[in-house]
Amino acid sequence: MTFETIITLIKIFLLLGGLMTAAAYLVLVERWMAAWVQDRKGPNRVGIPLTKIKLFGLGQPLADGLKFIFKEDFAPKHVDKALFRIAPIVILTAAIAIFAAIPFGSVLPPLEIEGVPDPIPLLVTPNLDVGMVYVFALSSIAVYGVILGGWSSNNKYSFLGALRSSAQLISYEIPLGLGLIGVVLFAGTLRLDAIISQQADSGVWNVFLQPLGFFVFAVAATAEAARLPFDLPEAEQELIGGYHTEYSGMMLLLFLIAEFLHMITAAFLIVILFFGGWHFWGLTGAGDEVTWFTAIARIVVLAVKILLVVLTFMLVRWTWPRFRFDQLMAMAWKVMVPLGLVNLIVMAVLVEYQQDLADIVGAESLWPLILISWIVTIGAWIIAGLYAPLSTDNTPRPMSMPFDAETELN
Amino acid sequence: MSGTNPNIRWLEEPKLGLSGRMYLPLFVQGLTTTFKHLVGPKVTLSFPEERPQIGNPLIYRGVHRLNKDGTGRVKCVACFLCATACPAHCIDIVAAESPWPDREKYPESFTIDELRCIFCGMCEEACPVDAIELTSLLDLTGRSREEMIFDKEKLLSVYDMTIDAEPMKSTALGGTL
Ligand code: SF4
Ligand code: SF4
């Protein structure tokens, strides 16, 4: 076994442990946020086991985990046992595997240990030239988990829920891709670490350069992660829990973890693609020559940005009511896809004529690009608003003649 | 009532203006409201450590008590009115001839199944001598079903426990003495 293999294994273990802990604690954070938004206090009792130390409820994930372990793993008689058990595994495996291509910082400074290659990138699969494609391919696999779960449950509500969810997930892949292509065109690479480096080099985060792409991508990523207001996969009011109605205990937990991992992935992608990843002006520098300080600062900056995005997701959850399904689809096809196409075309033109534009303005600066793309964004946004394809509202209309029960019923 | 009634005011939803149809301003507005609640004051009570403030203990309906009269005897005259009034049928009284000259009967045993009780307060309304009352004790717990069936002694001990904090409703609210 070479050192490289050992280092990769260490990275994988750190990643798995970190992800699972993060998911567990994000559940706690989510419960806190939910409570605080509703003027409650939230979980604050469970602390260190067997003592009375409460520790702000930080022991809660442990208690939740234990509860799940001791819960009966129940599969109803009428389900297709094999597929029923495979579904959550498929969805979770795909959700975890995505992180192989996602950088958690930049690189470690040279360790100067015999046989260890320098510098060590904080990424499980460094130099993966198809990084974005890999992430996309794996995130689409979630649809299989949803469909398998719904189908094998042998229950019409689960099945309808699964169909609805897959329709949603597939529809939002398109705006997701369109929002992303602008970034890829501009960076000229599919590698996530290279996309960050490009932003760090120019010092301009993509969110300033292509706000339209950011909006489209952020909305689509929220929908892909099935977060409110797009959490139709588990619209319990209408579908009694959607595709995972029949699941309980550990199996349900796998689905829920996968859902949280999707949210973390979405946050990572948003930060990496649009908010400069580990880059922060005047703090983390650019390039691969790092000291220990910058290496750690980059990890911290990235983590803080991701946490902020995740917290925003959680706040949005309690801000917007859930979309109706027809609104959801209308939003994807009538607003997000056109806006994404506008973004794609504008970015393609700008990238193609970047040099000519610089010649006209007479400087190598990004300002003309930023200006044009903001004008386009605001214009496209206003047109989308005026066109208002979402106004399929079902509020009672005032009748020209007021309703008269006597004449109406007779 | 007909739709042509001139007293009815028909309201129309205000039309969404441009900013509303742009979604973003309204979204930010909503987000601000949510955020304010995130950091705003909390209304939850940490129950066992903090006791809720009961507005008026005299009209609160918690655990029952059997009142005693001035000489420490149970006030109840075993008239069965409370048991009759109880919609949950949780009061069980065995009446016996009273050892005291001033009344005919007294309850030899008096049990209330607190698990069945819905705390409607009908018993307290029905009692002609204000012998049964609901106190403001709200944390009613027990380790077994049997423990939750309160007998006469227990109900009288609730009286001893609460009488200092809560005067008899008959005195405070002007009922029979
Ligand atoms: S409070 Fe209502 S239910 Fe309870 S014992 Fe009295 S009458 Fe019965
Ligand atoms: S109504 Fe009052 S007096 Fe009559 S049995 Fe019930 S508690 Fe006793």
Side-chain angles (χ1 to χ4, degrees):
Chain A
M1 218 186 320
T2 62
F3 276 107
E4 238 164 298
T5 324
I6 295 173
I7 286 172
T8 308
L9 280 180
I10 292 175
K11 280 190 221 165
I12 290 176
F13 281 120
L14 282 180
L15 183 66
L16 278 182
L19 276 182
M20 289 301 135
T21 321
Y25 275 90
L26 279 181
V27 173
L28 181 66
V29 173
E30 169 121 62
R31 288 177 63 187
W32 271 340
M33 295 280 281
W36 293 342
V37 165
Q38 293 159 6
D39 295 340
R40 295 184 283 118
K41 282 187 181 151
N44 59 0
R45 294 292 166 128
V46 190
I48 300 168
L50 304 179
T51 64
K52 296 232 177 209
I53 303 168
K54 280 186 185 166
L55 217 67
F56 317 109
L58 287 179
Q60 189 69 45
L62 209 66
D64 288 347
L66 273 180
K67 189 184 92 181
F68 267 113
I69 289 172
F70 288 114
K71 265 198 168 175
E72 186 187 358
D73 186 7
F74 180 77
K77 256 215 184 83
H78 56 76
V79 303
D80 182 332
K81 285 269 167 13
L83 291 183
F84 189 74
R85 297 209 178 270
I86 288 174
I89 298 174
V90 168
I91 209 167
L92 185 67
T93 314
I96 292 178
I98 291 178
F99 285 89
I102 288 183
F104 288 84
S106 61
V107 288
L108 284 184
L111 294 174
E112 271 149 28
I113 305 172
E114 191 74 35
V116 178
D118 279 329
I120 300 175
L122 293 172
L123 173 65
V124 174
T125 53
N127 309 329
L128 185 64
D129 283 332
V130 290
M132 272 324 305
V133 177
Y134 173 80
V135 169
F136 258 67
L138 277 177
S139 67
S140 331
I141 286 185
V143 175
Y144 285 93
V146 167
I147 285 275
L148 277 180
W151 170 258
S152 65
S153 292
N154 196 6
N155 163 340
K156 59 176 171 268
Y157 296 107
S158 299
F159 186 55
L160 281 175
L163 288 186
R164 255 162 53 122
S165 312
S166 49
Q168 171 188 341
L169 294 182
I170 291 173
S171 298
Y172 276 91
E173 295 265 304
I174 296 163
L176 198 67
L178 288 176
L180 164 102
I181 287 181
V183 175
V184 172
L185 274 180
F186 196 73
T189 171
L190 284 166
R191 280 174 58 170
L192 286 166
D193 43 348
I195 291 175
I196 301 179
S197 303
Q198 176 259 323
Q199 294 177 68
D201 286 336
S202 67
V204 179
W205 297 352
N206 282 331
V207 64
F208 304 117
L209 192 63
Q210 28 189 318
L212 195 55
F214 166 69
F215 283 125
V216 172
F217 188 85
V219 170
T222 319
E224 276 282 288
R227 298 286 305 172
L228 264 152
F230 303 102
D231 69 333
L232 288 161
E234 48 168 329
E236 61 282 343
Q237 291 93 333
E238 308 107 75
L239 280 176
I240 332 164
Y243 65 93
H244 52 52
T245 309
E246 301 284 3
Y247 286 88
S248 62
M250 220 37 180
M251 312 282 281
L252 182 65
L253 183 68
L254 297 189
F255 274 124
L256 298 185
I257 294 178
E259 200 168 285
F260 256 87
L261 290 183
H262 283 151
M263 179 174 73
I264 303 177
T265 323
F268 260 108
L269 288 181
I270 288 176
V271 167
I272 290 174
L273 296 177
F274 291 98
F275 286 98
W278 42 255
H279 173 255
F280 198 85
W281 306 283
L283 188 66
T284 52
D288 266 0
E289 304 294 310
V290 291
T291 60
W292 275 104
F293 173 76
T294 35
I296 291 171
R298 285 176 178 184
I299 298 174
V300 172
V301 166
L302 186 68
V304 168
K305 282 183 186 172
I306 284 161
L307 193 65
L308 286 180
V309 173
V310 168
L311 290 183
T312 318
F313 273 143
M314 290 176 178
L315 260 192
V316 167
R317 170 172 193 173
W318 301 107
T319 302
W320 255 359
R322 178 181 289 141
F323 278 101
R324 236 171 34 219
F325 195 66
D326 58 326
Q327 291 173 333
L328 180 94
M329 286 317 227
M331 170 103 162
W333 292 100
K334 294 188 186 165
V335 183
M336 286 305 153
V337 171
L339 285 185
L341 284 172
V342 169
N343 178 61
L344 171 61
I345 292 168
V346 172
M347 280 332 282
V349 170
L350 287 184
V351 170
E352 180 66 27
Y353 295 105
Q354 193 176 4
Q355 202 49 52
D356 300 339
L357 207 63
D359 291 343
I360 295 170
V361 186
E364 275 293 322
S365 120
L366 284 173
W367 284 111
L369 296 192
I370 295 178
L371 198 69
I372 293 176
S373 89
W374 271 92
I375 292 172
V376 169
T377 302
I378 295 170
W381 194 272
I382 289 177
I383 291 172
L386 288 180
Y387 165 56
L390 290 193
S391 62
T392 56
D393 73 323
N394 55 356
T395 47
R397 310 229 169 240
M399 279 161 282
S400 50
M401 227 176 62
F403 184 77
D404 183 8
E406 278 126 46
T407 51
E408 206 65 35
L409 291 177
N410 190 23
Chain B
M1 195 177 75
S2 81
T4 44
N5 189 333
N7 292 329
I8 299 178
R9 263 185 68 216
W10 293 85
L11 293 182
E12 268 186 44
E13 218 178 295
K15 275 248 175 300
L16 273 186
L18 184 64
S19 83
R21 295 169 82 178
M22 294 292 111
Y23 289 96
L24 214 51
L26 287 188
F27 177 55
V28 171
Q29 207 178 324
L31 212 57
T32 326
T33 309
T34 321
F35 191 78
K36 274 193 206 132
H37 280 273
L38 191 66
V39 291
K42 309 291 169 231
V43 295
T44 330
L45 205 74
S46 295
F47 170 57
E49 294 96 30
E50 283 171 56
R51 307 290 304 184
Q53 285 291 316
I54 290 173
N56 182 359
L58 284 177
I59 56 173
Y60 189 85
R61 302 201 293 250
V63 183
H64 306 75
R65 73 180 182 196
L66 267 183
N67 287 335
K68 294 177 182 173
D69 62 9
T71 53
R73 302 172 307 178
V74 60
K75 240 181 152 188
C76 172
V77 293
C79 67
F80 286 79
L81 281 180
C82 55
T84 315
C86 177
H89 301 300
C90 56
I91 303 183
D92 189 32
I93 303 167
V94 178
E97 202 168 315
S98 149
W100 312 302
D102 58 344
R103 52 178 115 152
E104 283 173 18
K105 294 190 292 178
Y106 89 116
E108 194 177 44
S109 97
F110 193 115
T111 53
I112 299 181
D113 187 346
E114 300 279 356
L115 287 177
R116 288 185 66 169
C117 175
I118 54 171
F119 298 96
C120 61
M122 295 289 195
C123 43
E124 151 181 79
E125 293 285 329
C127 182
V129 294
D130 287 333
I132 189 164
E133 277 180 354
L134 299 179
T135 65
S136 64
L137 290 186
L138 48 97
D139 43 349
L140 182 65
T141 53
R143 286 167 197 275
S144 63
R145 293 188 161 263
E146 290 69 40
E147 212 175 284
M148 298 301 283
I149 299 174
F150 282 27
D151 58 6
K152 195 170 81 179
E153 279 64 45
K154 193 150 179 187
L155 289 167
L156 285 170
S157 73
V158 178
Y159 170 84
D160 293 335
M161 236 163 71
T162 54
I163 188 60
D164 290 334
E166 294 168 46
M168 266 195 245
K169 293 183 186 178
S170 48
T171 12
L173 298 177
T176 48
L177 276 174

